[in-house]
Amino acid sequence: MAGTRVSELAKELGMTNAEMVQALVDLGVAVPGPAAFIDAETAQIVREMFQEAPSSAARVVEVSPSATVKSLADAIGANAGEVQKKLMEQGMLVSVNQRLSTDAMRSIAASYGVSLKIKVEDRPAAPKPKRKGSQAGPQPRPPVVTVMGHVDHGKTTLLDYIRKTNVVAGEYGGITQHIGAYQVEVTVEKERRKITFIDTPGHAAFTAMRARGASVTDIVVLIVAADDGIMPQTQEAIDHARAAEVPIIVAINKIDRADANPDKVKTQLTELGLVPRDYGGDIECVPVSALTGQGVNELLEHIVFMADLLELKADPNAPVSGVIIEARLEVGRGAVATVLVQEGTLRVGDCVVCGTVHGKIRAMTTERGERVAKATPSMPVEIMGLSGVPQAGDRLEVVSDERCARQIADTRTRQQREANLQRSRNLSLEEVLEGLRKGEATELRVVVKGDVQGSVEAVVGALENLPQESVAVKVLRTGVGNITENDVQLAAACQAIVLGFNVRTDQMAQAAAERQHVDVKTFQVIYELTDAIERAIKGMLAPVYEEVPLGKAEVRATFRTPRGAVIAGCYVTEGKVVRNAEARVVRAKKVVFAGRVDSLRHLKDDVREMAQGFECGIMMDGFNDFKVGDTIEVFENRRVEPE
Ligand code: GDP
């Protein structure tokens, strides 16, 4: 049941990890990354989709992910109008200058016998009619930064400090509101520079977005408390940043504390392969205090320098493309979503599609509640006017009109539904256990979330202490805090279940669990949780039966029926003989046959049972070799609950 590792499947099909993760996302299978496993059935579907025809007759053509109908048609040597017609047949009304989803591109290409290779890293730089006075082509854009680190190492304090002390020019006062991202302006070498921070909590957003193929982060700031050093979530954050190939700047926090030991942190980092600059490596480590603000400016400067090194650019005149950072339903405002614009300029009045949701932008606001008419690359804005709540990581695109937006969203909804039907469902706890019982599975995989670290440890300890002779409980992830979409995605990718102790399941996680059929169970009392698992495991272990003797009969004569079967004429010497009970024939202390009492007669009558001291005729299917003197031992197998 382990399934296939995403990275191995990618290798097998000659795709990059990023392409494979994207392909799975397109299929509606969210995976946390290339190290995740998918089930055999999904792997097969992917193989069928991407394996090149053995005849190799199919032409392979490479196109950009932002190809328009026209550029796709040109690339595969087809007529744009004809392609447009085909798309219409598939329910997509699009203009020739409109961009297509990778799914749609593949299906069109396939109908021309062409196998598509989508350039993953390609950023759209499509020519567009230039607005008067605007500069042409890609221009430098602010870096997008995610702060990650172990719980309590100071992420929130740092993000709050930066937000409060570095206000974008022209934005004063007002109440800031959490929208999942914000932009600040800092002065570096007398220049005003913008930086965008993603402040969705934890690593969840980062991985959820990556699982959906969206990469928004340019730089990861890894925060490590100088009094605590590298902790499990620090390691996890490093893994995430490395997997996404995002450069890391380390903020060694809490240096105001007397017990701060920045050198210890640097040594630990070195051991993990992140060698600080003053240790001869290339990792920038900035000592800071998020509480007093000491060193924070230097940290911001390093972010700006790193951004310059990365030469981050985007074209504000390109077709708009953005990523949903957060989304929710709000009373009185309807669906609101925070979009980080990556290319182009998003404007109020634009018709948009994000994932399976569409709409016309009614209003855009910054996290300071200021209304804006447009949003340029790297700018996060909250948008209103969507038909529903999109998912974090969904790509936002601008299309020509509302009708078209609705049609694309509808088609995607349909495709998603079909893809969901195709792929195998994830399993509930009961189904996993049933699989284990049948020997189809070998372990019960769990993701454990708890309200505090202590309770998480208690749950894990309790799981480890369960009777495990036949069942291995594998804990995939533990964490403190509510059950998030990220937990559900990990569980979905590994066919695991999510167990929560004293925590809630957030809205996105609940929706994801329903969508991906992941079993999420929450408990308030630790006993409840372990008891449920224990009972389930008991039920799952191969049932144990105990033999309960019923009686014995001695064969005193044998008779042959006209049809050739042999009846044993018996005398019940002990207990009773019961029809349909298990029985064995014993001769000279050896069992010569085992079966059941198939027929039991007293004189000419069929009877259900015969007590000690009576005579009866016994027949056992498949055995005609009774001998006078044989003993027939009758017993029953009773199921016993394993201890
Ligand atoms: P998060 O879980 O990473 O978001 O951590 P928080 O920002 O909530 O910080 C956890 C605790 O550490 C809070 O009590 C903060 O006041 C404290 N803290 C954060 N940064 C500093 C710092 O630079 N110095 C000191 N002394 N305490 C800090």
Side-chain angles (χ1 to χ4, degrees), residues 149-158 223 253-257 288-292:
H150 194 74
V151 65
D152 280 348
H153 279 198
K155 282 185 297 288
T156 318
T157 313
L158 180 67
I223 190 162
N253 192 29
K254 307 198 186 181
I255 49 151
D256 57 292
R257 288 184 59 127
V288 301
S289 167
L291 212 57
T292 68

Side-chain angles (χ1 to χ4, degrees), residues 446-513:
V446 293
V447 170
V448 180
K449 293 300 287 281
D451 52 348
V452 290
Q453 190 58 28
S455 63
V456 172
E457 280 161 18
V459 171
V460 172
L463 288 174
E464 281 167 356
N465 285 330
L466 287 172
Q468 296 203 18
E469 309 83 52
S470 321
V471 185
V473 177
K474 182 169 178 193
V475 181
L476 296 176
R477 169 187 289 169
T478 60
V480 173
N482 285 341
I483 295 168
T484 64
E485 192 181 2
N486 193 22
D487 298 321
V488 173
Q489 275 171 352
L490 177 67
C494 307
Q495 299 208 311
I497 58 165
V498 183
L499 299 176
F501 179 70
N502 252 339
V503 293
R504 283 179 301 111
T505 310
D506 76 28
Q507 227 174 18
M508 305 280 269
Q510 209 140 25

Side-chain angles (χ1 to χ4, degrees), residues 80-374:
E82 206 177 292
V83 169
Q84 205 178 11
K85 212 169 122 209
K86 279 188 189 238
L87 285 163
M88 217 183 292
E89 285 162 12
Q90 293 179 20
M92 277 175 274
L93 195 65
V94 289
S95 74
V96 288
N97 291 320
Q98 205 164 311
R99 286 161 55 175
L100 293 170
S101 71
T102 47
D103 266 358
M105 287 200 268
R106 285 209 168 88
S107 110
I108 289 297
S111 69
Y112 285 93
V114 174
S115 164
L116 271 201
K117 193 164 174 348
I118 311 280
K119 285 187 240 164
V120 167
E121 308 302 353
D122 197 339
R123 280 292 173 89
K128 238 211 138 177
K130 307 279 178 311
R131 290 193 172 86
K132 262 193 197 143
S134 70
Q135 272 177 283
Q139 291 165 30
R141 64 167 175 85
V144 179
V145 178
T146 300
V147 179
M148 299 207 280
H150 194 74
V151 65
D152 280 348
H153 279 198
K155 282 185 297 288
T156 318
T157 313
L158 180 67
L159 282 163
D160 284 350
Y161 183 88
I162 295 172
R163 186 197 331 241
K164 283 195 200 105
T165 47
N166 296 272
V167 175
V168 172
E171 290 181 356
Y172 297 109
I175 301 156
T176 62
Q177 168 189 7
H178 173 91
I179 66 166
Y182 65 82
Q183 207 169 46
V184 294
E185 212 168 42
V186 295
T187 307
V188 176
E189 292 176 348
K190 294 191 187 135
E191 231 186 298
R192 293 292 277 169
R193 300 283 300 264
K194 284 180 179 165
I195 304 174
T196 302
F197 284 93
I198 305 284
D199 73 343
T200 49
H203 314 160
F206 189 80
T207 37
M209 277 186 242
R210 286 219 323 121
R212 301 183 63 72
S215 53
V216 296
T217 305
D218 301 309
I219 298 166
V220 162
V221 167
L222 180 72
I223 190 162
V224 189
D227 57 333
D228 209 17
I230 306 281
M231 296 301 278
Q233 283 167 293
T234 322
Q235 172 72 61
E236 203 181 294
I238 296 172
D239 295 344
H240 283 314
R242 279 187 171 151
E245 293 174 6
V246 177
I248 296 175
I249 295 177
V250 178
I252 302 182
N253 192 29
K254 307 198 186 181
I255 49 151
D256 57 292
R257 288 184 59 127
D259 54 351
N261 188 352
D263 284 329
K264 188 180 134 206
V265 175
K266 288 184 188 172
T267 310
Q268 288 177 324
L269 286 167
T270 308
E271 282 161 10
L272 293 171
L274 292 180
V275 186
R277 204 171 279 288
D278 49 347
Y279 280 42
D282 59 357
I283 297 293
E284 212 58 70
C285 290
V286 191
V288 301
S289 167
L291 212 57
T292 68
Q294 185 190 344
V296 174
N297 276 340
E298 287 84 85
L299 175 67
L300 296 173
E301 274 173 20
H302 281 297
I303 292 172
V304 170
F305 295 150
M306 172 83 79
D308 288 343
L309 263 166
L310 295 171
E311 292 184 12
L312 304 169
K313 286 197 167 119
D315 184 352
N317 297 317
V320 180
S321 152
V323 173
I324 304 294
I325 304 292
E326 259 186 28
R328 64 188 178 280
L329 209 54
E330 251 184 43
V331 182
R333 294 175 80 204
V336 289
T338 300
V339 183
L340 178 76
V341 176
Q342 293 189 302
E343 286 284 342
T345 302
L346 185 64
R347 292 183 162 80
V348 170
D350 277 347
C351 293
V352 297
V353 190
C354 25
T356 55
V357 166
H358 63 95
K360 183 169 178 158
I361 299 185
R362 265 189 294 148
M364 294 202 289
T365 46
T366 66
E367 55 122 23
R368 283 164 200 280
E370 191 194 42
R371 289 208 170 212
V372 288
K374 58 179 194 172

Side-chain angles (χ1 to χ4, degrees), residues 517-534:
H517 309 286
V518 171
D519 200 12
V520 176
K521 284 196 172 7
T522 51
F523 302 83
Q524 257 73 49
V525 191
I526 209 144
Y527 170 77
E528 252 181 88
L529 187 153
T530 50
D531 190 47
I533 297 261
E534 205 164 336

